[in-house]
Amino acid sequence: MFAHHHLLLATAAATLAAATPLKGIYPQDNGTTGITWGPCDFESKTNATIQCGSLPVPLDYSNPKSNRTLTLQVVKAPAVNGPSKGSILFNFGGPGYQAINSLADTAPLLFNMTGGHHDLVAFDPRGTGRSIPYSCYDNATERELAALKYPGKFGNSSDVGLGETWAYATILANRCEEKTKDIGSFIGTSFVARDLMQVVDTLGEDGLLNFWGFSYGSLLGEVVAAMFPDRMGRLILDGVVNGNNYYHNFGIDKDQLLAVEDAWDAMLEECLKVSSDRCALAEVNSTAAELKQTLSNLVQQVKYAPIVVDDFVLDYTSLVAISYVAMKNPSIAPAVFKVLHDILTGQDLASLVPLLTAQAANIAVDGDGLYGIKCSDSFPRSSTLAGVMSEIEYGVSTSPNFWGILTTQVIQCAQWPFEAKERYTGDFKVKTKNPILFVGNSYDPATPPHSARNMTAFFEDSVMWEQHGFGHTTLAGRSECSWKIIQDYFNDGKLPDPNTVCETEVDIFPETPRA
Ligand SMILES: *[C@@H]1O[C@H](CO)[C@@H](O)[C@H](O)[C@H]1NC(C)=O
Ligand SMILES: *[C@@H]1O[C@H](CO)[C@@H](O)[C@H](O)[C@H]1NC(C)=O
Ligand SMILES: *[C@@H]1O[C@H](CO)[C@@H](O)[C@H](O)[C@H]1NC(C)=O
Ligand SMILES: *[C@@H]1O[C@H](CO)[C@@H](O)[C@H](O)[C@H]1NC(C)=O
Ligand SMILES: *[C@@H]1O[C@H](CO)[C@@H](O)[C@H](O)[C@H]1NC(C)=O
Ligand SMILES: *[C@@H]1O[C@H](CO)[C@@H](O)[C@H](O)[C@H]1NC(C)=O
Ligand SMILES: *[C@@H]1O[C@H](CO)[C@@H](O)[C@H](O)[C@H]1NC(C)=O
Ligand SMILES: *[C@@H]1O[C@H](CO)[C@@H](O)[C@H](O)[C@H]1NC(C)=O
């Protein structure tokens, strides 16, 4: 079904956790005692102890006369190894991901990574989840209908792909302009940075921001650090977006796929090192280069002859998307490689239905926050497809096989009707009160270590380390070495030696296949 393609595309484009339905409003801060913490109206999947509260903040920081407010919904997982040394705030990326459920669901892992001496705090960023969700559709049915009418395909899916994507993006831009006039300019990253500082003020600790931002969350961290350098405590920016690019490209970091081809090569090599019961593609060819060619031929073949499995269509877009998702989240690589193997060898694909269904159900797209936030941040616009072609060509030069994943974002942002009321216009040559710590995975297909290196060169005294592993951000692969760096930094402010490389303890094609 076309809708499923749309969903696969969404997984590939966005980052980390899945979205969750919206409901409920927590007890309001009464303005005198900071956030009033109470029970949450949902359970964390991990049974972590959590508390919820809320905090009204200005809707429009750029207009001191406006008294309109927005109520941020905030969650806290209290330190498990108390007494608390203070709070660490989190952003889980997207942009467009709500944070409340993401924090609740990852708290046990985050406590293990930080040592558990801090309270972990997150709020749904404006434009997401429970803090003014941003949607250009009235309801899920309308969204589904649009997905059927305008199926999202990667630019390279056919020689008319880019033109159709442009036309569909015009329709969405017009629809968003009409439906979200009242909030379209208020959800940009600078305002979220100000919200972060409001939460810091309200927590009433030492007045400094401690923060861990994943993926797009790293960009938020760069912006808050550049806007409030004297108020920075300890910041880990993990899976780094190049802020120099982000504002000046069409809603993306044009260098963000610099590691994806290396990641694909390295992942195929890992596969060839094991037996075919661990990686289904292991015995297809004898070198990674041959295997890469075989898979590339398969994608070309499926481009012209899509394969039907039950009511799914496996085509160019879905094959590129699942390969990319396997690189972002290596725990599903064995399953994805089995799919590719079974298609390649013409096996009965009925067994894939549960996997495809699960994959589609995994991503309940509940909003347009990704575009609403990124595109209103971004400066350039174009009224023609020709105007974005040089950025697309540049991207294709960085990743001929996977760059199609980003074309829809570029084409959408080029036509976006809103500009954020406040956009960060400076560079990132900034000295922060305390040094920032950056980290990039060697084979992160969405945020390459190159961008971490680039930003480290801008923020004075900042340091980066590299996690030598697969997947998107340090959450994708366990590394005792990285965990020690994280704990030393948050607990004692200790920085690793520059050029530290951490190995991971991950076997991406393990002996016992993961469930
Ligand atoms: C605000 O809430 C706190 C905690 O619930 C309570 O102790 C305090 O009396 C309240 N203040 C006002 C002005 O309602
Ligand atoms: C959470 O608690 C429920 C009920 O006690 C239990 O069934 C479930 O296995 C727990 N989940 C985790 C991840 O510990
Ligand atoms: C907000 O401002 C408007 C216009 O100045 C005013 O009419 C309204 O009473 C104000 N509301 C509050 C809650 O102060
Ligand atoms: C956290 O560490 C504890 C103790 O080593 C372990 O039992 C638990 O499985 C870990 N949880 C996660 C999510 O890493
Ligand atoms: C969804 O929105 C459309 C357009 O506003 C409306 O006609 C329809 O009744 C709504 N459907 C549901 C299930 O609310
Ligand atoms: C994808 O499309 C771009 C832009 O039209 C083109 O330059 C590139 O060669 C295409 N790549 C593939 C693998 O088809
Ligand atoms: C790699 O495997 C494919 C699929 O079996 C086969 O068609 C191709 O000839 C192989 N390549 C080499 C160089 O052996
Ligand atoms: C960092 O990225 C910017 C924007 O792409 C580029 O102009 C600059 O040369 C890069 N600097 C370093 C040190 O890599």
Side-chain angles (χ1 to χ4, degrees):
M1 291 185 322
F2 291 124
H4 288 140
H5 286 144
H6 209 65
L7 294 172
L8 276 172
L9 199 150
T11 352
T15 353
L16 295 171
T20 36
L22 316 167
K23 61 171 154 49
I25 292 290
Y26 301 119
Q28 284 256 356
D29 165 35
N30 61 16
T32 56
T33 54
I35 299 170
T36 306
W37 298 105
C40 301
D41 67 357
F42 66 95
E43 303 266 314
S44 113
K45 280 184 201 147
T46 48
N47 295 341
T49 301
I50 47 172
Q51 299 167 353
C52 286
S54 68
L55 175 67
V57 295
L59 177 66
D60 183 1
Y61 288 101
S62 67
N63 177 5
K65 291 200 192 107
S66 163
N67 58 12
R68 291 174 71 195
T69 60
L70 138 75
T71 302
L72 295 179
Q73 309 297 323
V74 194
V75 69
K76 168 165 86 170
V80 287
N81 288 330
S84 170
K85 292 186 176 183
S87 301
I88 301 171
L89 273 67
F90 284 81
N91 179 283
F92 294 90
Y97 283 134
Q98 52 75 33
I100 290 187
N101 296 73
S102 300
L103 183 82
D105 294 343
T106 48
L109 175 62
L110 296 172
F111 279 131
N112 283 3
M113 293 174 87
T114 57
H117 303 295
H118 293 82
D119 296 336
L120 313 181
V121 174
F123 58 88
D124 285 348
R126 44 177 75 209
T128 77
R130 303 172 194 230
S131 303
I132 48 165
Y134 184 82
S135 175
C136 304
Y137 296 95
D138 289 335
N139 52 50
T141 315
E142 293 288 297
R143 182 178 293 284
E144 287 269 309
L145 279 175
L148 289 167
K149 233 162 125 184
Y150 318 118
K153 300 277 179 178
F154 293 160
N156 280 101
S157 63
S158 81
D159 63 354
V160 297
L162 289 177
E164 287 195 344
T165 302
W166 182 273
Y168 295 165
T170 306
I171 291 173
L172 183 62
N174 291 342
R175 166 177 270 280
C176 294
E177 180 170 25
E178 189 195 317
K179 293 276 178 192
T180 67
K181 269 196 180 65
D182 52 338
I183 55 167
S185 302
F186 299 129
I187 61 174
T189 299
S190 291
F191 279 7
V192 182
R194 294 187 185 280
D195 292 341
L196 276 172
M197 297 318 297
Q198 295 264 326
V199 174
V200 170
D201 288 340
T202 307
L203 289 172
E205 295 169 356
D206 61 3
L208 302 182
L209 171 69
N210 298 318
F211 178 76
W212 190 349
F214 301 99
S215 193
Y216 158 82
S218 73
L219 184 273
L220 172 61
E222 292 160 18
V223 172
V224 74
M227 289 171 68
F228 302 96
D230 299 335
R231 303 202 50 199
M232 292 302 106
R234 291 162 191 167
L235 278 75
I236 295 186
L237 306 186
D238 183 345
V240 176
V241 174
N242 185 333
N244 296 300
N245 289 338
Y246 173 85
Y247 282 99
H248 305 288
N249 300 158
F250 293 101
I252 55 150
D253 165 0
K254 67 183 164 66
D255 292 321
Q256 75 184 72
L257 298 193
L258 275 177
V260 70
E261 297 286 335
D262 284 351
W264 191 234
D265 292 344
M267 197 166 248
L268 297 178
E269 267 167 32
E270 288 301 309
C271 173
L272 289 189
K273 285 182 193 160
V274 302
S275 56
S276 58
D277 54 337
R278 289 167 65 180
C279 177
L281 289 169
E283 280 157 23
V284 171
N285 289 114
S286 48
T287 69
E290 288 166 14
L291 184 54
K292 188 178 189 178
Q293 188 60 52
T294 300
L295 293 174
S296 165
N297 295 346
L298 178 69
V299 168
Q300 287 306 314
Q301 194 184 317
V302 167
K303 179 166 166 174
Y304 296 98
I307 296 165
V308 172
V309 184
D310 197 30
D311 64 351
F312 293 91
V313 176
L314 296 174
D315 65 359
Y316 176 89
T317 298
S318 50
L319 252 53
V320 172
I322 57 169
S323 305
Y324 184 71
V325 170
M327 286 188 277
K328 274 179 95 170
N329 176 9
S331 68
I332 64 164
V336 167
F337 279 26
K338 172 87 167 60
V339 172
L340 295 175
H341 171 268
D342 289 358
I343 297 171
L344 190 63
T345 53
Q347 314 226 353
D348 179 9
L349 299 173
S351 65
L352 300 183
V353 172
L355 179 83
L356 295 172
T357 309
Q359 181 70 17
N362 215 355
I363 322 114
V365 179
D366 68 352
D368 302 293
L370 177 79
Y371 298 138
I373 296 167
K374 276 189 161 184
C375 300
S376 69
D377 276 346
S378 163
F379 285 93
R381 294 288 181 278
S382 172
S383 56
T384 60
L385 176 58
V388 303
M389 279 316 290
S390 65
E391 189 159 307
I392 291 180
E393 301 288 351
Y394 174 86
V396 171
S397 77
T398 68
S399 173
N401 289 300
F402 295 99
W403 215 79
I405 284 165
L406 293 181
T407 48
T408 307
Q409 288 183 48
V410 168
I411 285 172
Q412 192 64 65
C413 289
Q415 307 181 64
W416 200 246
F418 301 107
E419 295 177 357
K421 286 270 180 191
E422 183 180 23
R423 288 181 288 187
Y424 182 68
T425 54
D427 62 25
F428 293 91
K429 285 181 191 139
V430 173
K431 182 170 172 56
T432 47
K433 184 177 176 76
N434 293 290
I436 299 176
L437 185 51
F438 288 97
V439 57
N441 291 355
S442 314
Y443 302 122
D444 186 327
T447 50
H450 312 67
S451 291
R453 212 161 284 128
N454 188 294
M455 295 315 293
T456 307
F458 279 82
F459 282 99
E460 210 170 303
D461 298 332
S462 66
V463 170
M464 89 167 269
W465 91 95
E466 182 167 335
Q467 179 163 305
H468 186 233
F470 291 95
H472 186 40
T473 82
T474 58
L475 292 179
R478 187 189 168 99
S479 163
E480 291 292 346
C481 162
S482 289
W483 289 21
K484 180 160 185 341
I485 290 174
I486 293 163
Q487 291 176 19
D488 285 350
Y489 178 71
F490 277 132
N491 293 321
D492 303 314
K494 215 179 122 200
L495 291 163
D497 291 336
N499 307 318
T500 298
V501 176
C502 282
E503 296 302 326
T504 63
E505 290 83 53
V506 179
D507 193 353
I508 58 171
F509 298 106
E511 202 87 52
T512 323
R514 294 180 186 85

